[in-house]
Amino acid sequence: VQLVQSGAEVKKPGQSLKISCKDSGNSFATYWIAWVRQMPGKGLEWMGIIYPGDSDTRYGPSFEGQVTISADKSINTAYLQWSRLKASDTAVYYCARQAAGDMFDSWGQGTLVTVSS
Amino acid sequence: QSALTQPASVSGSPGQSITISCTGTSSDVGAFNLVSWYQQHPGKAPRLLIYEVTKRPSGISNRFSGSKSGNTASLTISGLQADDEADYHCCSYAGSSKVVFGGGTKLTVL
């Protein structure tokens, strides 16, 4: 599993954004992909997961209704989307494979999202 | 679902051992043997060190070990090396397909 994320983004408050996470392997549809937020100087926060095989999606309590997680198994890619960004969304966002045992054994390189007017 | 509690920082000298604690509740750490630990160097993605409380992935040094007692999990690093200086994050399954992380601990090698 090798997860490659899209590049850094700079956006204004109120704008929309969709970042991606592509698996270069061939088993993408058979494992859960998680999104993890890391705000500047802070710890990791689990945002939610998706099973690309059937798009079953779960969200962390703090992120339900705030972001949308989706996937396109035909191109081995998962997405994290905002409809209206806020300054407090400024963070590095990681995708990771959430494997059996609920551990994260493969990580993307991270996408820095900066939201500033 | 609150974050797990870790000390903000720990330190040790080369060759020494240190332990980082991770305290949760009877709904997460105490309920499941599904605690994992991650090492993160500045500007890098996290790396899995320990999973299912005590197991090490292939390629991880046996200087890293994990344990759990009640609602508290621990990561011990023995024979400290300069390259161990990093942030360490614990994580636990919290039921209903949810996962919770700790706030992270900065390890300084003196």
Side-chain angles (χ1 to χ4, degrees), chain B residues 6-30:
Chain B
Q6 297 181 234
S9 62
V10 298
S11 62
S13 299
Q16 287 186 329
S17 295
I18 63 95
T19 296
I20 300 171
S21 62
C22 170
T23 301
T25 70
S26 57
S27 297
D28 40 59
V29 174

Side-chain angles (χ1 to χ4, degrees), chain A residues 32 36 38 42-46 49 58-62 94 98 100-105 107-110, chain B residues 1 34 36 38 40 43-48 50-52 89 91 93 96-104:
Chain A
W32 293 86
V36 177
Q38 188 168 37
K42 302 297 184 182
L44 304 173
E45 299 174 89
W46 184 83
I49 49 173
R58 320 283 170 85
Y59 292 92
S62 301
Y94 293 100
Q98 186 163 335
D102 291 289
M103 47 86 165
F104 305 94
D105 61 352
W107 294 72
Q109 82 276 22
Chain B
Q1 184 180 350
L34 294 174
S36 52
Y38 303 85
Q40 185 181 30
K44 300 295 187 182
R47 177 178 72 140
L48 176 66
I50 297 287
Y51 67 100
E52 292 178 8
H89 306 273
C91 177
Y93 181 65
S96 303
S97 300
K98 304 291 195 292
V99 162
V100 61
F101 282 96

Side-chain angles (χ1 to χ4, degrees), chain B residues 60-105:
Chain B
I60 297 299
S61 169
N62 59 9
R63 296 188 301 108
F64 296 93
S65 62
S67 63
K68 190 185 88 165
S69 178
N71 297 337
T72 298
S74 298
L75 172 71
T76 297
I77 308 174
S78 59
L80 268 180
Q81 300 176 358
D83 189 52
D84 296 333
E85 185 160 295
D87 292 329
Y88 291 83
H89 306 273
C90 65
C91 177
S92 175
Y93 181 65
S96 303
S97 300
K98 304 291 195 292
V99 162
V100 61
F101 282 96
T105 297

Side-chain angles (χ1 to χ4, degrees), chain A residues 78-90:
Chain A
Y79 302 97
L80 179 64
Q81 183 174 3
W82 295 261
S83 58
R84 291 185 61 82
L85 286 160
K86 299 174 284 191
S88 58
D89 292 318
T90 294

